[in-house]
């Protein structure tokens, strides 16, 4: 936390001394591997939540085919209570635990279930093992985005347009532990951002995790599906016969949609 504040102050000084704002002065990216590792008091200008397998991939897909919004919950009972006040014809309840659909819910967490026919005009009320917890951790941020490999280019487009000074990239992880697929996506975002703005690793990296994420992406950028298949949560999903989901989740820059928080825990497609 102090490290983050220190970096921001340094940026301010270099800005003051040079008088000329440069991207290197104003944009720093901090990767946190899990919600638990993410500082509790949010000082980011923009927080980006990643759960490649599969929560954010599903959210991006749902919004891209016309869902009205995605509302995230940590707790299944609260989801049920809140969605009870919604027109049943305009709601879908999605619940996932341990990779499987929770009994009594309309959907689990497969992005491939998100068809235009089923989603258009409806609100997706969703609770997943890790992804929705990550959103709650950063919900006080002035901007909260949902990122996956499938919409990496939309995330970067937004960052290039809006130039937030301090960016937190939060991986959902798995029950408090590191997840390879979220880190490679963080690296993919940083890598494209560096390319678009002509920045170096040291320009953009706010912490060592960011440098490691960029290296991971560079190593695996042409074999993302293989990496996902090797990851521990990938292995878990393969055992649940989610091969098609995995192939879809590994597809880079395939979907033109950016989930953005409109109010606490409610995400809509950025227009
Ligand atoms: O942990 C989560 O939030 C989920 O994305 C896990 S799963 O891919 O649905 O198993």
């Amino acid at each position: 936390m102090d490290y983050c504040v220190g970096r921001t102050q340094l940026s301010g000084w270099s800005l003051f001394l040079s008088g000329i704002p440069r991207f290197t002065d104003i944009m720093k990216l901090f990767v946190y591997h899990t919600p638990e590792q993410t500082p509790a008091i949010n000082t980011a200008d923009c927080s980006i939540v990643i759960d490649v397998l599969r929560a954010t991939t599903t959210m991006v897909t749902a919004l891209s085919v016309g869902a009205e919004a995605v509302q995230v919950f940590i707790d299944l009972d609260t989801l049920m209570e809140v969605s009870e006040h919604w027109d049943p014809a305009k709601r879908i309840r999605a619940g996932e635990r341990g990779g499987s659909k929770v009994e009594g819910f309309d959907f689990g967490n497969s992005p491939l279930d998100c068809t235009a026919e089923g989603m258009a005009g409806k609100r997706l009320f969703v609770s997943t093992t890790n992804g929705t917890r990550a959103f709650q951790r950063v919900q006080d941020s002035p901007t909260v985005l949902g990122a996956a490999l499938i919409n990496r280019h939309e995330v970067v487009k937004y960052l290039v347009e809006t130039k937030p000074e301090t960016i937190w990239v939060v991986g959902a992880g798995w029950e408090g532990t590191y997840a390879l697929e979220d880190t490679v996506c963080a690296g993919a975002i940083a890598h494209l951002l560096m390319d678009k703005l002509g920045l170096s690793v040291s320009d953009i990296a706010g912490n060592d995790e960011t440098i490691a994420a960029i290296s991971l992406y560079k190593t695996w950028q042409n074999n993302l599906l293989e990496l996902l298949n090797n990851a521990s949560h990938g292995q878990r999903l393969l055992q649940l016969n989610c091969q098609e989901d995995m192939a879809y989740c590994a597809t880079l820059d395939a979907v033109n949609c950016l989930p953005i928080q409109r109010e606490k825990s409610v995400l809509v497609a950025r227009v």
Side-chain angles (χ1 to χ4, degrees):
M1 192 60 218
D2 288 337
Y3 184 55
C4 155
V5 171
R7 284 278 182 146
T8 305
Q9 283 169 348
L10 193 66
S11 298
W13 266 111
S14 49
L15 248 173
F16 173 76
L17 291 172
S18 71
I20 307 160
R22 298 164 61 236
F23 290 122
T24 50
D25 294 316
I26 61 175
M27 197 181 269
K28 285 286 179 200
L29 206 134
F30 298 80
V31 172
Y32 299 107
H33 293 310
T34 61
E36 290 76 7
Q37 199 199 352
T38 308
I41 296 170
N42 199 298
T43 57
D45 300 304
C46 175
S47 297
I48 302 171
V49 174
I50 301 176
D51 188 3
V52 170
L53 297 175
R54 294 167 292 176
T56 50
T57 304
T58 299
M59 291 173 197
V60 170
T61 308
L63 292 171
S64 77
V65 296
E68 174 262 327
V70 173
Q71 189 160 351
V72 297
F73 296 84
I74 294 186
D75 172 60
L76 294 165
D77 292 338
T78 313
L79 184 160
M80 279 300 187
E81 238 172 81
V82 172
S83 59
E84 205 49 50
H85 303 290
W86 210 259
D87 177 355
K90 293 205 167 163
R91 76 172 180 226
I92 294 174
R93 289 160 159 167
E96 168 276 329
R97 289 295 180 266
S100 301
K101 174 171 157 317
V102 179
E103 215 186 304
F105 279 70
D106 305 316
F107 278 23
N109 190 25
S110 171
L112 301 182
D113 285 343
C114 301
T115 60
E117 205 185 17
M119 284 286 162
K122 295 185 183 164
R123 178 169 292 205
L124 185 67
F125 293 87
V126 60
S127 177
T128 67
T129 312
N130 304 285
T132 52
R133 246 169 1 95
F135 276 103
Q136 209 214 25
R137 187 67 174 186
V138 295
Q139 65 182 0
D140 292 330
S141 190
T143 303
V144 179
L145 307 176
L149 290 168
I150 59 167
N151 75 334
R152 181 272 306 247
H153 62 309
E154 290 291 335
V155 175
V156 172
K157 193 169 134 202
Y158 178 87
L159 298 176
V160 170
E161 270 173 40
T162 59
K163 299 178 188 64
E165 187 174 338
T166 305
I167 304 164
W168 287 8
V169 183
V170 178
W174 185 265
E175 296 182 339
T177 61
Y178 178 91
L180 211 44
E181 65 276 11
D182 298 335
T183 308
V184 84
C185 182
I189 291 169
H191 191 261
L192 185 60
L193 193 57
M194 284 160 56
D195 187 47
K196 294 281 179 206
L197 298 178
L199 301 179
S200 67
V201 172
S202 64
D203 288 335
I204 203 164
N207 61 3
D208 287 357
E209 286 87 336
T210 304
I211 301 170
I214 295 166
S215 299
L216 184 72
Y217 174 69
K218 278 179 161 174
T219 304
W220 288 91
Q221 57 185 316
N222 298 318
N223 297 301
L224 290 170
L225 180 56
E226 191 186 338
L227 179 71
L228 266 52
N229 284 338
N230 283 322
S232 56
H233 187 49
Q235 294 279 312
R236 199 175 287 119
L237 289 175
L238 288 175
Q239 294 210 340
L240 295 168
N241 292 321
C242 296
Q243 284 82 352
E244 285 181 38
D245 276 13
M246 300 277 292
Y248 177 73
C249 292
T251 315
L252 199 57
D253 301 338
V255 179
N256 298 328
C257 180
L258 180 63
I260 186 163
Q261 183 175 269
R262 186 179 61 196
E263 61 195 76
K264 271 186 193 178
S265 71
V266 178
L267 297 137
V268 295
R270 185 189 183 225
V271 284

